[in-house]
Structures are given as C-alpha cells and as structure tokens.
Amino acid sequence: MEIRLLRAFVVLADCLHYGQAASRLCLTQPALTKQIRVLEDRLGAPLLVRGRHGAALTGFGADFLGEARELLGRADALDERARRMVRGEAGRLAIGFGLSSLQLAPQHIAAFRRHHPDVEIGLEDMSSAEQVERLLDGRLQLGFVRLPVVAPLASLPLLTDRLVLAVGDGVDPLRPPTLLRLARHRGPGLAGEVDRLLDHWAGQGYVPSAVHEAGDIQTLLALAAAGIGAALVPESAVRILPPGVRIVRPGTDLVWQTGLAWLPQAGSPLRDRFIALLR
Amino acid sequence: MEIRLLRAFVVLADCLHYGQAASRLCLTQPALTKQIRVLEDRLGAPLLVRGRHGAALTGFGADFLGEARELLGRADALDERARRMVRGEAGRLAIGFGLSSLQLAPQHIAAFRRHHPDVEIGLEDMSSAEQVERLLDGRLQLGFVRLPVVAPLASLPLLTDRLVLAVGDGVDPLRPPTLLRLARHRGPGLAGEVDRLLDHWAGQGYVPSAVHEAGDIQTLLALAAAGIGAALVPESAVRILPPGVRIVRPGTDLVWQTGLAWLPQAGSPLRDRFIALLR
DNA sequence: GGATTTCCATTCCTTCAGGTTATCACCAAC
DNA sequence: GTTGGTGATAACCTGAAGGAATGGAAATCC
C-alpha cells in the first residue's frame, strides 16, 4: 500500500476530476490516470467509474476512501510528530531518580511537563549506582543522582547537602568508636567525603576502630542511637532523627551533592531541553 | 513518509544487522544502506549508530521505531481490509427500510450480520419512495420496499400481504361511499391494486364518490371507524384494528408485496452476498 | 603481529517506474 | 457540424532504486 497512490486517490475522490486533481497533486493528468489504474490493479477492483463529465466513486471506492483517508491522516501525523521529535518537542524521555532526589526530581519533572506536554516521560525509581549503569548503556537518558559521577558522564549539581555526624548520648562525636556510613552502592559520591573525614581525624591523631556500612539512613541513625558510633548523614536527615540522637558538625566541611547526570555522547534534543530548563 | 522506507527501518531495527535485514527484505545490503540514509536525511536526524558489530538505535531511532511500527501495522491492515472489501467480506452496506418492512428487515439483517461480522451496516429509515430515489442515485445499496419497483431497479419479493377492506359499522363494504387509501408516495405498488379494485367495482356498476388518501395506516383505520368509507389496508393491519371496524375481503384478489430492491448496475460483491443470502 | 573475517559504506552501472508532451476518442452543448 | 471539455493512450525521457564489486575499519584468530 503506497502512500503516494492513496494520496492520489483521495485527492481525486475529492474533486472527481482528473485534470483538477492532477494539478492539485502537481502532476499532469496522464500521470494521475496511471496512478489510479495501478492502485485499482493492485486492489483488484475499480475505484471510480469514468464518466464524460468527471468521475464517480464506485461503492467499493467509497468504502475504500474512508480507510485511505484514515491511513493518510496517520501518515501525515507521523511526519509531523517526527519533525517534532527531531526538534525535541515530542518523544520519550527515560529519567531515573532515587530516594536522594525525592525532593528534587518531581518539581523539575513537573515543570518540564508543563513546557512539553507531548513528551512521554518514563520515570524509573532506582539507586544512584543503578542509574549510572543505565545511563552508560543508554537505557536511561537522564538521572537524578548523587554527585560526582564517573568519567563519561556529565552532570549538573542541583542540591548541596551538608554532611553531619549523628551520635547517640554518651558518644564523643570527635572520637567515635565507629564511623557509620551509607553503603557504597547507594551513593558513589560519598566515598570521597568519607576519606576526607578520616584524613581530617587522622590529622588529629585519631583513627576510628571500624567503619560500618548500612543500606539506608534510618538504619544508620538507629545504630547511632544505640551508641555504636557516629553516623555520617546528610543534614536534611534531621527530619527523621530518632530520640536520643544529636547532630554535630564534623571538624571539616563535608558536602554531598545531588544533581542531574547524563551521557553527553548519547545526544537527544529532548534531553538537552530538559537540561537547559534546569540551568 | 514512504511505507517502503519505514518497512526497511523496522526490519533493520529488528535484527540490527544490515546484511540480515536486507536479505529479509529481499534486497542487497547496499540498497538497504541507501534506504536508511534517505530516511535519515528526510527526517533530519540519525536513526542508528553503525558500530563494527551491527547497528544500534539512537534515542530518536527508538522513539521513531514505535511510531513507524504503528503506521506499518495500519497500512498492512488496510491491505488486508481492502482485499476483504473486494471479496465482499468487509465494507459498508447502506440499507433502507420502512414501516412496511418492520417485520421483515431486522431478521434478515441480523442473519447477514451473523455471517459477515466485519460489514458495517448503515440502516436508514425512510419511505419506499425515498428508498427508490436513493437506490437510483447510489446513496443506498439495498432497500426493503413495497413492490413493484420502477425500471432500472431489480427486486426480490419477500412477503406478500393480502389487501383487505376495513369498514366501520353501518358501512356497506361492497359499495362504500369513499375509498380510503394510503398516500401515493408511501407505496408505489399500491396504485395498480387500487386501480384493479376500482375496475372491479366499475364492472359491477359501482363507482365510489371519492378516493381519499392518508399518510399512514392508523389514520386510514380511524377514518374507516368514523364511517367515512372503506380503507384498503394490508391484512397484517388487523393487529392494530380499532373497535367497531371489521375486515372484509374485496371481491377480487388484491396483493401488496414487500421485497428487497437494488440497482443492478451499481454492483457490489457485498450487496450481492446479501441478496444471495435471502434467495 | 599479520591474516582473516565481519560488517557497513562507496562506487558504478543498469533498469524500469514514474513523469511529461502530444495526441486521440468520446460525448455534450451550442 | 463544430467546439470544448474530459479521460485514455502512445512515445519518450529522466532519475530513483537496486545489484555487483570493492573498499575500509574493527574484531578475531592463530
């Protein structure tokens, strides 16, 4: 089923006059005659009866006309949609986000959706490490992740969380027996700050006896409350502080940034618009 | 948007290998390469990135793939549907029916629909005269009408109604003052029978003083009940006989047939199937 | 590390589908 | 009869689409 033939037929059915239809199609009349004959041959039945004054649709022609119009409309819509996809006004954007970006992602995504209602946004909830993996293999175009991100990825910092120490009663925040930190896979950016803290302590002649990991911040705080040690947590965690735990600034400034990450070489105008909107 | 290019792209996106895709399309690899490049040029953006081991979709390519598949599916469906239209298994059938065929049309249409579920049937309620007009100009393919029908139309008798006289108390059914008949435009076949009745009466030396027309049978019967005269009605009208009216056979056999009518030269396999089913 | 394989791009050539011009055939209206 | 309008046909031309052969770069294999 060639679009060209359908278009010829639909225009001809509109004016029921080969000459006029041909000029509307920017063709000559014999060319149109041929196209219609080809279409009729392919279908195996006549679409029009040629009278002396113009042509008239056959019953089959009338039935077929509706279907042809339908398909043509969809073909044109696809053309238009493709153009908009190229310009970055339509398409699909797969965006990852995690617990760390719960305050961040929704508002930005909502803003983007307001500007680009035709863009289908696929939101996928996963850890920063998973997001990085999927950004690298292309399953994700954008991710709200803990910064920094590794080499081929680019990023835009959006939110800076100060890191603080949470300690239970009776624990010396400056020399805690154990340092409690979030598991490595939950936040790639944390490692550097942990090292900076340990270096800072080492400079003061102190080395904690152990570094423990936990999978989420609630667990870290619970361990701190039990007097196990000092938990290195983002300052925003004060909202979920259990009783008997207090917040202490470490001796050195430690930060944990959350931001948007992407793979620059996997360019997509849609993605670039999203980034531009956040800048 | 050429179907050919979309098909090439979709197949290529399926196997992500130019050689394999080309052979599936019954093409050589350079031809496919060219088609994809043409498509990319038209769209204005690359659909795939060519790696050393096969190709991979770009983000845009993946977005576009879904849309392309959609359109291709519809194009193929149109092909299939067109084939079935030609074979008379799909399409649209405009059928007229009137009050006179209320007992007739629904059951036949239901039977046809059972045999051909993909046929869209447009039912149009109108008088026999209107049906004839629309059959002649092609707006109707079939009509359940009073017979006989005029010259270029063909017909199939389906139901024979005996015509009887309905008279009120105190009216002589053999010499009624007035003959009450249905309006001419409501039943073309009635005129001949009316004439036969008048001839029959004339042969017996009787001529009614007037012939009155009414638009529907209820009115005719009401007039008869009022003693105006004798109403010539189909025998099936006994079901709606008002009190004080009795049925009398006229001295001669008068019939009124209902049947299916169509315009033979406006052939349509669908229509022919409908007719064949009733034969 | 060179030979081989794999896979896509390029080049060149052929073919034929699709277009144009010119003309014909037919009917209707004047 | 003539003229005008309409679609069909014929002859020809162009260029788009496909095929064969080749190129070239990465991966693979001894």
Side-chain angles (χ1 to χ4, degrees):
Chain A
M1 194 52 58
E2 276 172 64
I3 295 290
R4 185 179 52 99
L5 300 180
L6 292 185
R7 181 156 280 131
F9 170 58
V10 167
V11 170
L12 176 57
D14 259 2
C15 38
L16 293 174
H17 184 296
Y18 276 75
Q20 288 169 27
S23 72
R24 258 217 253 170
L25 289 161
C26 301
L27 288 177
T28 55
Q29 170 260 314
L32 177 59
T33 294
K34 238 195 276 186
Q35 288 200 8
I36 298 298
R37 290 175 66 87
V38 168
L39 183 57
E40 287 180 329
D41 283 356
R42 298 232 179 121
L43 294 172
L47 290 164
L48 305 118
V49 284
R50 285 74 165 171
R52 285 305 136 211
H53 262 268
L57 287 172
T58 62
F60 169 60
D63 281 356
F64 187 71
L65 177 59
E67 311 276 333
R69 275 222 175 86
E70 165 88 12
L71 189 67
L72 270 188
R74 292 187 181 273
D76 290 344
L78 175 55
D79 258 334
E80 175 59 21
R81 187 168 172 80
R83 253 194 301 278
R84 298 176 63 192
M85 279 182 184
V86 171
R87 288 203 305 263
E89 293 168 6
R92 189 185 150 81
L93 209 48
I95 305 180
F97 73 104
L99 286 174
S100 56
S101 54
L102 268 183
Q103 318 126 38
L104 205 58
Q107 70 194 65
H108 287 130
I109 288 167
F112 183 77
R113 191 167 261 150
R114 235 172 291 128
H115 283 78
H116 302 278
D118 285 344
V119 176
E120 184 190 344
I121 295 182
L123 275 179
E124 305 184 35
D125 180 9
M126 67 192 85
S127 74
S128 287
E130 254 183 297
Q131 286 188 57
V132 166
E133 183 189 328
R134 298 196 177 209
L135 284 169
L136 289 173
D137 74 14
R139 277 180 294 175
L140 226 49
Q141 270 100 61
L142 289 167
F144 285 92
V145 297
R146 291 292 188 187
L147 299 184
V149 284
V150 288
L153 293 179
S155 64
L156 175 68
L158 292 172
L159 188 79
T160 301
D161 243 345
R162 191 192 302 272
L163 287 171
V164 295
L165 290 169
V167 293
D169 291 336
V171 175
D172 176 1
L174 297 179
R175 308 177 74 86
T178 301
L179 178 63
L180 303 166
R181 57 160 295 184
L182 206 58
R184 287 165 204 283
H185 68 87
R186 290 300 314 282
L190 198 61
E193 301 304 291
V194 168
D195 288 345
R196 284 185 55 198
L197 177 59
L198 292 175
D199 285 351
H200 170 72
W201 276 341
Q204 299 184 342
Y206 170 66
V207 176
S209 61
V211 176
H212 282 176
E213 294 188 357
D216 57 88
I217 290 176
Q218 278 86 347
T219 307
L220 284 178
L221 293 174
L223 292 172
I228 307 292
L232 189 66
V233 296
E235 199 168 21
S236 60
V238 294
R239 288 173 305 149
I240 53 172
L241 218 57
V245 172
R246 69 183 197 283
I247 291 300
V248 179
R249 291 267 172 88
T252 177
D253 254 11
L254 301 177
V255 295
W256 204 19
Q257 287 188 314
T258 301
L260 189 65
W262 64 92
L263 186 66
Q265 64 228 52
S268 136
L270 214 48
R271 188 203 66 185
D272 296 342
R273 286 195 174 225
F274 194 98
I275 298 167
L277 194 69
L278 262 61
R279 277 222 165 87
Chain B
M1 194 51 59
E2 275 172 65
I3 294 290
R4 184 179 52 100
L5 300 180
L6 292 185
R7 181 156 281 130
F9 170 58
V10 167
V11 171
L12 176 56
D14 259 2
C15 38
L16 294 175
H17 185 295
Y18 277 76
Q20 288 169 27
S23 73
R24 261 216 251 169
L25 290 161
C26 300
L27 287 176
T28 56
Q29 171 260 316
L32 177 59
T33 293
K34 235 196 277 186
Q35 288 199 7
I36 298 299
R37 289 176 66 87
V38 167
L39 184 56
E40 287 179 330
D41 282 355
R42 298 230 179 123
L43 294 172
L47 290 163
L48 305 118
V49 284
R50 285 76 164 170
R52 287 305 135 207
H53 261 270
L57 287 172
T58 61
F60 169 61
D63 281 355
F64 187 72
L65 177 60
E67 312 275 332
R69 275 222 175 85
E70 165 89 12
L71 189 68
L72 270 187
R74 291 187 182 272
D76 290 344
L78 175 54
D79 258 334
E80 175 59 20
R81 187 167 173 80
R83 254 194 301 278
R84 300 176 63 191
M85 280 181 183
V86 171
R87 288 203 306 263
E89 293 168 6
R92 189 186 149 80
L93 208 49
I95 305 180
F97 73 104
L99 284 173
S100 57
S101 53
L102 268 183
Q103 318 126 39
L104 204 60
Q107 71 193 66
H108 286 129
I109 288 168
F112 183 77
R113 190 166 263 152
R114 233 172 293 127
H115 283 78
H116 302 279
D118 285 345
V119 176
E120 183 189 346
I121 294 182
L123 276 178
E124 306 184 33
D125 179 9
M126 67 191 86
S127 74
S128 287
E130 254 183 298
Q131 286 186 59
V132 166
E133 184 189 329
R134 298 196 178 209
L135 285 169
L136 290 173
D137 72 14
R139 276 179 294 175
L140 227 49
Q141 269 100 62
L142 289 167
F144 286 95
V145 297
R146 291 291 188 186
L147 300 182
V149 286
V150 288
L153 292 178
S155 65
L156 176 68
L158 293 171
L159 188 78
T160 300
D161 243 345
R162 191 192 303 270
L163 287 171
V164 295
L165 290 169
V167 293
D169 291 335
V171 175
D172 176 1
L174 297 181
R175 306 176 75 85
T178 299
L179 178 62
L180 302 165
R181 57 159 295 185
L182 207 57
R184 291 166 201 281
H185 68 86
R186 291 299 315 281
L190 197 61
E193 300 305 290
V194 168
D195 287 346
R196 286 185 52 197
L197 177 59
L198 292 174
D199 285 352
H200 170 72
W201 275 340
Q204 299 184 341
Y206 169 66
V207 177
S209 62
V211 177
H212 281 175
E213 297 188 353
D216 59 89
I217 291 176
Q218 278 86 347
T219 307
L220 285 177
L221 293 174
L223 292 172
I228 308 291
L232 188 66
V233 296
E235 198 169 23
S236 60
V238 295
R239 289 173 304 149
I240 53 172
L241 219 56
V245 174
R246 68 182 198 282
I247 291 300
V248 180
R249 291 269 172 88
T252 177
D253 255 11
L254 301 177
V255 295
W256 204 19
Q257 286 189 314
T258 301
L260 190 65
W262 65 91
L263 186 66
Q265 64 229 53
S268 136
L270 214 48
R271 189 204 66 187
D272 296 342
R273 287 195 173 222
F274 193 99
I275 298 166
L277 194 69
L278 261 62
R279 277 221 164 87

